[in-house]
């Protein structure tokens, strides 16, 4: 089996903003001003949901090309429901992460409604982020001094 490692290094200085240089792109994660941040960028949770939408869209483009489907456009809405008590350090019986994540897609292609649903199902089966969310993935963390 051949594996590929994708790495991102992020840095936080004073304040809430977290910056990373990813290839030729400068990205920022921040919190809204009401939460103490400076609103320089989306929150980590918003980036997480956007990443899922982006991955589904990218795989849809690949699949459409492979299947000779003229995919004119695709709108992907991702909603995540969570109880913020745990991430705020407060007692809760809920898990800290999203309890549910819902993906809804509008697909502009010459396909029937059933074919659009089947296409979306095939795309989601091929999406690495969808897979990582749906199935358990071991996450390791280490303090490196």
């Amino acid at each position: 089996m051949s594996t590929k490692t994708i790495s991102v290094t992020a840095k936080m200085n004073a304040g809430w903003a977290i910056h990373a240089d990813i290839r030729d792109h400068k990205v920022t994660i921040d919190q809204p001003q009401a939460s103490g941040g400076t609103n320089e960028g989306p929150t980590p949770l918003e980036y997480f949901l956007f990443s899922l939408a982006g991955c589904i869209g990218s795989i849809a483009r690949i699949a459409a090309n492979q299947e000779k489907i003229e995919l004119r456009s695709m709108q992907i809405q991702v909603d995540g429901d969570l109880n913020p008590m745990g991430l705020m350090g407060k007692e809760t019986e809920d898990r800290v992460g999203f309890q549910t994540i819902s993906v809804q897609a509008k697909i502009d292609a010459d396909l029937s409604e059933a074919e659009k649903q089947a296409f979306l199902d095939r795309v989601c089966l091929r999406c690495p982020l969808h897979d990582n969310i749906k199935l358990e993935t071991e996450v390791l963390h280490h303090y490196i001094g």
Side-chain angles (χ1 to χ4, degrees):
M1 174 177 71
S2 176
T3 60
K4 176 181 180 180
T5 300
I6 299 171
S7 296
V8 173
T9 301
K11 185 172 183 183
M12 179 179 69
N13 291 318
W16 292 86
I18 301 164
H19 303 281
D21 291 327
I22 302 172
R23 292 183 287 116
D24 297 327
H25 308 283
K26 295 190 182 305
V27 295
T28 300
I29 289 173
D30 200 359
Q31 297 296 317
Q33 287 178 329
S35 299
T38 56
N39 204 33
E40 285 185 59
T43 68
L45 297 174
E46 291 164 334
Y47 263 122
F48 181 85
L49 297 177
F50 172 63
S51 294
L52 177 58
C55 191
I56 290 169
S58 297
I59 299 299
R61 180 61 67 201
I62 293 168
N65 287 340
Q66 291 171 338
E67 297 177 27
K68 309 285 190 252
I69 295 170
E70 184 187 344
L71 179 60
R72 290 180 288 276
S73 68
M74 187 170 180
Q75 179 179 315
I76 305 147
Q77 179 175 328
V78 181
D79 298 311
D81 296 322
L82 66 83
N83 179 345
M85 299 297 284
L87 70 90
M88 297 304 294
K90 298 190 175 162
E91 205 54 45
T92 179
E93 292 185 19
D94 291 328
R95 59 183 287 194
V96 176
F98 291 111
Q99 279 87 40
T100 59
I101 295 175
S102 172
V103 175
Q104 299 177 65
K106 290 182 182 178
I107 299 170
D108 184 5
D110 294 327
L111 301 171
S112 70
E113 296 302 308
E115 290 169 330
K116 289 176 182 179
Q117 181 62 56
F119 176 73
L120 180 61
D121 292 342
R122 290 191 306 277
V123 165
C124 287
L125 283 174
R126 291 175 58 175
C127 174
L129 290 179
H130 190 282
D131 177 84
N132 281 122
I133 295 165
K134 187 174 179 179
L135 303 173
E136 184 177 334
T137 300
E138 182 179 19
V139 178
L140 307 172
H141 57 269
H142 307 279
Y143 171 73
I144 57 173

